[in-house]
Amino acid sequence: MLVGNATHDDAGVFLLNETTALVQTVDFFTPVVDDPRLFGRIAAINSLSDIYAMGARPVTALNLLATPAGGIDPTIVAAMLDGGQEAMAEAHTSIIGGHTIDDPEPKMGYAVTGIVNPDHIWRNNTARAGDRIYLTKAIGTGVIVKAVKDGVADAGSADAAAVMMATSNADAQNAIAAVGDPTACTDVTGFGLLGHLWELTLASKTRAIVWENEVPIICGAESLAQKHGFPAGSVRNWEFVAPHLVNRQEPSLRRRLLADAVTSGGLLFTVPAEQARIVEESFQVKGVPLWGIGEMMAGTPTIELV
Ligand code: CO
Ligand code: CO
């Protein structure tokens, strides 16, 4: 076993032979959009994300599906599976089986297996003081998905969040790999940007400085958070991460958004400062969004928002 549970990394890694290691992860959740086909796609894109975050290539997937017995139109289930199948095909990943159960609340996701060269695993515990911190997707999907479920989201915000969730991290992985291995990498999901950054910071024994105004937030998320509040998961995230923040008194709404629970978020990675420009150029050439959001320093693990 090369990567297990201890470092809360994105996937487990098991060495097969000198050049190949197996990478395994599983993710499934309740619908985050109304359109069943789009939900299937997002479920697949989200399940693949942990594989990309490890620097690995996905190869096979098993479907996990929960639907209400007799209480759902079979064409809706077919659309969910089609959306997932399409995203897996784009990722050159074969769906080789699955399992379905009865459940009053629909759920879908995948267990994905990937492969990686054991010398090029992108871990979350290997960031170094002096590294730059980068993010590849805007945050705020938790607040927007809640507003959509409550029926209070505007179409613009809902669409922007859907596009974000349905975008694969494969291109971002490619843009990084074109330069080389990052010093550390993870993806931003349920723990929110601050939660996942805290895991990376703690595991790497570094101190993170976040340039809070550089963090991209989906247009509309801030006003929806103000009017309709945060989902329970985002509130828990803030309470979890607050003790590790240097500046935690009376957080502004924007600061609390940094802990918003994300669905199918971007890659969060670090590279040495001297590689920052060439990495930014690589993303620019490939047309993949990228935001520099902070830097790692030496010291007791904490996160400072500046
Ligand atoms: Co992850
Ligand atoms: Co995951």
Side-chain angles (χ1 to χ4, degrees):
M1 187 183 77
L2 298 181
V3 179
N5 253 332
T7 52
H8 304 282
D9 215 320
D10 299 291
V13 185
F14 187 85
L15 187 65
L16 288 181
N17 59 47
E18 264 175 39
T19 55
T20 310
L22 206 58
V23 185
Q24 295 182 293
T25 175
V26 57
D27 256 295
F28 64 108
F29 48 48
T30 55
V32 289
V33 291
D34 287 334
D35 182 308
R37 191 183 176 90
L38 181 60
F39 171 52
R41 178 180 179 83
I42 292 170
I45 296 290
N46 176 69
S47 302
L48 289 162
S49 180
D50 280 329
I51 297 286
Y52 294 124
M54 298 305 290
R57 178 164 70 82
V59 287
T60 60
L62 299 167
N63 177 254
L64 298 137
L65 183 65
T67 58
I72 192 166
D73 180 346
T75 61
I76 292 181
V77 177
M80 284 161 58
L81 292 171
D82 275 358
Q85 165 66 47
E86 187 183 75
M88 287 297 177
E90 285 168 23
H92 308 290
T93 300
S94 306
I95 300 172
I96 55 170
H99 186 72
T100 304
I101 60 161
D102 294 336
D103 191 325
E105 196 176 21
K107 296 173 187 74
M108 182 165 145
Y110 294 87
V112 186
T113 297
I115 51 174
V116 69
N117 181 315
D119 297 330
H120 298 276
I121 299 169
W122 297 359
R123 297 168 194 263
N124 71 348
N125 63 345
T126 40
R128 290 179 301 217
D131 284 354
R132 289 286 168 81
I133 306 169
Y134 286 97
L135 178 65
T136 69
K137 281 189 196 177
I139 61 170
T141 54
V143 161
I144 297 174
V145 166
K146 174 189 186 293
V148 170
K149 282 181 177 170
D150 295 347
V152 293
D154 56 290
S157 302
D159 288 350
V163 167
M164 204 66 70
M165 293 187 285
T167 301
S168 170
N169 281 328
D171 290 344
Q173 190 205 47
N174 273 334
I176 301 168
V179 176
D181 294 329
T183 47
C185 185
T186 187
D187 62 344
V188 177
T189 51
F191 265 164
L193 171 63
L194 288 183
H196 290 285
L197 179 62
W198 170 246
E199 285 179 335
L200 193 148
T201 301
L202 178 68
S204 301
K205 301 182 178 69
T206 50
R207 203 177 126 233
I209 309 287
V210 175
W211 307 321
E212 56 179 328
N213 292 321
E214 303 297 324
V215 175
I217 292 174
I218 301 171
C219 198
E222 202 167 340
S223 67
L224 285 174
Q226 188 169 21
K227 278 187 261 176
H228 306 293
F230 288 90
S234 303
V235 174
R236 279 197 301 272
N237 285 347
W238 178 267
E239 284 163 4
F240 164 78
V241 81
H244 310 298
L245 298 178
V246 173
N247 28 18
R248 57 179 168 270
Q249 277 78 33
E250 291 177 44
S252 63
L253 192 82
R254 206 173 183 289
R255 280 197 172 164
R256 296 185 61 115
L257 261 173
L258 302 181
D260 186 37
V262 173
T263 300
S264 189
L267 297 184
L268 173 68
F269 66 96
T270 55
V271 296
E274 55 272 22
Q275 270 180 30
R277 223 190 60 197
I278 176 167
V279 168
E280 288 169 15
E281 277 169 9
S282 175
F283 275 75
Q284 214 164 18
V285 166
K286 293 182 189 297
V288 182
L290 180 71
W291 291 269
I293 61 160
E295 57 192 334
M296 287 296 183
M297 313 281 258
T300 311
T302 49
I303 298 177
E304 185 172 3
L305 308 172
V306 299

